[in-house]
Amino acid sequence: MGFLSLFTRDQEVTYYAIMSDDNKVFEALSDPTRRHLLDRLFERDGRTLTELLAGFEMTRFGIMKHLRVLEDAGLITSRKEGRQKLHYLNPVPIQTIYERYVHKFSQQHIATLTALKAALEGGEHGMSSAESRQVYQVFIKATPEMIWKAITTPEFTRQYFHQAAIEVTKDHYISHGPNGDVWGDAEVIEFDPPRRLVHGWQSLYDPEMAQEQPSRVTWEIQPDEAGVCILTVIHDQLEGAPKTAESVSGAGWMYVLSGLKTLLETGASLA
């Protein structure tokens, strides 16, 4: 039975799901064409198929096959906007692997070396700016009701959202820090449990970001197969909040969503 003999039946299912997700990510990253597609989305998110096809000596059908592999691994997500289908980079699966295998080995040193490498190499990847629309997606083995509760009640959010006590009702979004300071205070635009939540966002915990214009966060919960849900988080309307956009991009939202997934699937927090 190998490693699975160490787990109960419920834990076996979760462990298998985690390893299956990892295998899909590693397989998707093994192909240079798919890595190049991810590079293109890293340069500029929200591209159409036609935009991604430019520069490839490959048919439209061939690129679509590679995009399907990346989407199946959760590395990209696509959204219909008007008549266009836009593709977005989803870094959450890579962050999840990083948290599992690398995080304990001195995160600060790794970050410093990564920044040094980018500075020395220069080029378009070295100084990428946060987009005004950020899209993240994660697969969570939990019911829609549990995910909804985890993103709207303080007893859950304290465990994965930087210790913030967040409470969301149909009328109001409020977030308090560990010392009771108000970290966020915004209107709720849509409240449709357990499917869709849209609320304003303003980073009141930082004096500079608090002076920026409010942005917007959308949570979409979509049931999938075998008790798994797809959670999509969209942070947009960031044009008037560049410091906030930089703060929440990449590792900002990835840490929160990785923590949420870990909490709901294992009962433990990342911290």
Side-chain angles (χ1 to χ4, degrees):
M1 196 72 171
F3 289 113
L4 291 183
S5 62
L6 301 175
F7 297 86
T8 65
R9 179 57 188 163
D10 289 343
Q11 289 172 317
E12 286 180 14
V13 173
T14 301
Y15 178 78
Y16 176 76
I18 290 172
M19 295 307 295
S20 297
D21 290 347
D22 285 356
N23 290 340
K24 288 182 178 180
V25 173
F26 288 129
E27 181 180 353
L29 293 173
S30 67
D31 184 89
T33 299
R34 292 195 283 269
R35 293 197 299 272
H36 188 49
L37 285 169
L38 293 176
D39 285 339
R40 298 288 300 276
L41 290 175
F42 180 77
E43 294 166 12
R44 181 172 64 80
D45 229 354
R47 292 182 188 249
T48 64
L49 176 60
T50 301
E51 291 173 323
L52 289 172
L53 188 60
F56 280 101
E57 295 182 0
M58 187 176 293
T59 65
R60 190 180 185 90
F61 179 72
I63 291 295
M64 288 174 63
K65 287 179 64 177
H66 283 298
L67 289 173
R68 278 197 296 270
V69 173
L70 290 169
E71 197 159 0
D72 186 49
L75 290 167
I76 65 170
T77 180
S78 60
R79 299 187 62 81
K80 195 82 171 178
E81 298 185 16
R83 295 183 177 181
Q84 293 184 320
K85 184 179 181 181
L86 303 183
H87 300 83
Y88 293 89
L89 183 66
N90 180 40
V92 175
I94 295 177
Q95 175 70 12
T96 302
I97 292 173
Y98 164 76
E99 293 288 350
R100 187 171 305 126
Y101 300 117
V102 182
H103 182 264
K104 68 177 182 177
F105 299 109
S106 184
Q107 181 178 8
Q108 182 59 45
H109 290 167
I110 293 173
T112 301
L113 291 173
T114 302
L116 175 62
K117 179 178 184 293
L120 291 174
E121 291 181 347
E124 56 196 357
H125 295 290
M127 294 291 291
S128 63
S129 61
E131 299 289 340
S132 61
R133 177 183 176 88
Q134 302 175 17
V135 181
Y136 302 90
Q137 195 173 75
V138 63
F139 291 79
I140 303 177
K141 191 171 182 63
T143 65
E145 291 77 12
M146 283 300 299
I147 297 173
W148 182 271
K149 187 175 182 180
I151 64 179
T152 58
T153 57
E155 57 265 33
F156 277 93
T157 62
R158 286 192 192 98
Q159 300 181 67
Y160 70 88
F161 217 125
H162 303 290
Q163 301 181 51
I166 299 172
E167 185 172 5
V168 188
T169 66
K170 64 179 180 180
D171 301 313
H172 194 216
Y173 169 95
I174 187 73
S175 171
H176 289 97
N179 297 324
D181 301 335
V182 176
W183 279 6
D185 189 343
E187 66 171 330
V188 172
I189 303 162
E190 292 185 45
F191 191 83
D192 182 20
R195 290 177 288 272
R196 181 176 167 88
L197 172 66
V198 184
H199 60 79
W201 178 284
Q202 197 164 19
S203 304
L204 301 180
Y205 51 83
D206 180 273
E208 290 188 1
M209 289 189 282
Q211 298 302 314
E212 295 184 325
Q213 296 179 12
S215 53
R216 180 179 65 180
V217 174
T218 300
W219 306 76
E220 296 178 350
I221 305 170
Q222 178 185 346
D224 200 49
E225 300 176 351
V228 173
C229 286
I230 304 171
L231 174 63
T232 303
V233 174
I234 305 166
H235 197 154
D236 61 358
Q237 297 185 355
L238 286 159
E239 294 85 353
K243 292 183 182 296
T244 299
E246 189 68 30
S247 172
V248 301
S249 68
W253 271 115
M254 288 191 299
Y255 178 83
V256 170
L257 295 178
S258 297
L260 172 60
K261 174 181 172 69
T262 300
L263 178 64
L264 289 177
E265 292 185 344
T266 71
S269 64
L270 285 177

